[in-house]
Amino acid sequence: MERYLTTVLGSMLPFASPLYRELSYKMIEKLAQHYGNDSRIIGWQLDNEPAVQFDYNPKAELAFRDFLRAKYNNDIQLLNDAWGTAFWSEAYSSFDEITLPKRVQMFMNHHQILDYRRFAASQTNDFLNEQCLLIKKYAKNQWVTTNYIPNYDEGHIGGSPALDFQSYTRYMVYGDNEGIGRRGYRVGNPLRIAWANDFFRPIQGTYGVMELQPGQVNWGSINPQPLPGAVRLWMWSVFAGGSDFICTYRYRQPLYGTEQYHYGIVGTDGVTVTPGGREYETFIKEIRELRKHCSSRETKPADYLARRTAILFNHENSWSIERQKQNRTWDTFAHIEKYYRTLKSFGAPVDFISETKNLSDYPVVVIPAYQLADKELVDKWIAYVKNGGNLILTCRTAQKDRYGRLPEAPLGFMITPLTGNEMNFYDLLLPEDPGTVMMDGKEYAWNTWGEILNPPTDAQVWATYKNEFYEGSPAVTFRKLGKGTITYVGVDSHDGALEKDILKKLYVQLNIPVMDLPSGVTMEYRNGLGIVLNYSDRPYTFNLPKGGKALIGTTEIPTAGVLVFSM
């Protein structure tokens, strides 16, 4: 018997409209009544690629006011204090005076925009959640999910707890050269799937990919053919990260409509298998063959688990920083990536985690540019370190409270109990005339953000500034606290070389074994199998661990090639 996946709705535009919701729920309930006990239906996908919408209709404005009333206990003075409306005489006397903020308008209230983004994300999450609960009234043996585009800063991913699991959409080749080398645009960004895996997997454990590119697409700026082997490489990348399933869009290339040039598994005749379709076929055969060799999912080597690292992530930090970048060259996700790509070059398993997760599960935790914080969160970090954890904090962390306000205290004072540092000031330089940081006799360029630190006597100074009026001042410090350590990186380098060397130095000091994989090569373990993926523009020779045996591919891995080996 053929089994199917049902998709309900296709967009989420007037999310705050009671009428839209009422009509949507009526339609969904009818669908659930009809298909909920249909044995051909295995599950439901809600709202193809749901996104957070910034809705400016009158109903949205009323809903925003209700959101604020609930958040601030119907006390307008609490809201005025939180938003700092005394600045420029913006104080409100009633919630009914509040309008929706224009997010791109210059000098709009930063704190109001922060709450509006929270409201918009919550509306999206609530709409998905309510759909899911409605379907589950009738669908007793069918799962419910949705497929997110991995726009991590929108704030809605993982925010609908009624979903049975999460899934995402990934397209790798669409005209922008994020890959490596002259033809890197045929293979794609080597961390694009890895980052999505490491972000979605920790949410619930179970996750998958609802749409993985099967070949050329039709919507890119330029739509090239993927490199032969690239589609298979992407599938292995999804599998390597711990995914439970892979689907694609589409099966057959459309004959009409707006996506006529979007490849499928088969071509326009409905019979001939496309190049990407053949790579899907190859991957499926390889997975079937590996069933003879696999073990439980969490069978992984001890040295691999020893370098397990978490990156603490909260989309609200990006919201706050990107609104007040202070330097046009600042990029919050580029800052995070400098640490992430180094960890992947170490062959480290990485999880992007929220504040609800247990930090003690990880030997090392990176907290990059975590601007919004409070005492409760910092106390959690202190407890983690004192109990033996190793924390890496980076510039701009804990400078503001959860409302986006600067506390009436020295800048960065919240983490002084952790780092011991006091911040003298911070500096920002022009990109065409960068500054220099020195560490272990090596120079690194920077311009985006640099904090000039006054460390305590029990801290080691790892890096200092050069060629500025504060030459010799500390930029990076290391301190022991209880059974653990805190590394504070007060500067953002040009290319991530400083961040990489800091992580190398730290892991050596912690006696954590790491690899040194070249850019574009990643490695993961799952089900007792090692998987090496080559996104670079040249072959890579991998040395098998003692006792390892190549099962798929060879140790000489070509571009877009894969090696799978037994432990």
Side-chain angles (χ1 to χ4, degrees), residues 325-331 335 338 395-396 426-431 434-435 445-450 491-494:
K325 295 168 67 162
Q326 301 305 109
N327 189 327
R328 58 182 165 82
T329 63
W330 174 272
D331 183 321
H335 177 77
K338 289 167 186 173
C395 59
R396 306 191 75 152
Y426 59 91
D427 200 11
L428 314 163
L429 307 178
L430 301 179
W446 74 279
N447 80 280
T448 306
W449 190 277
V491 64
D492 178 61
S493 82
H494 259 193

Side-chain angles (χ1 to χ4, degrees), residues 307-322:
R307 49 185 180 258
R308 188 181 183 207
T309 304
I311 296 177
L312 192 65
F313 179 82
N314 182 343
H315 48 270
E316 294 187 3
N317 293 305
S318 174
W319 294 350
S320 179
I321 291 177
E322 293 296 323

Side-chain angles (χ1 to χ4, degrees), residues 239-257:
F239 177 84
S243 171
D244 294 273
F245 65 88
I246 302 172
C247 302
T248 189
Y249 176 85
R250 313 176 30 121
Y251 177 72
R252 174 177 173 168
Q253 183 171 342
L255 302 181
Y256 45 79

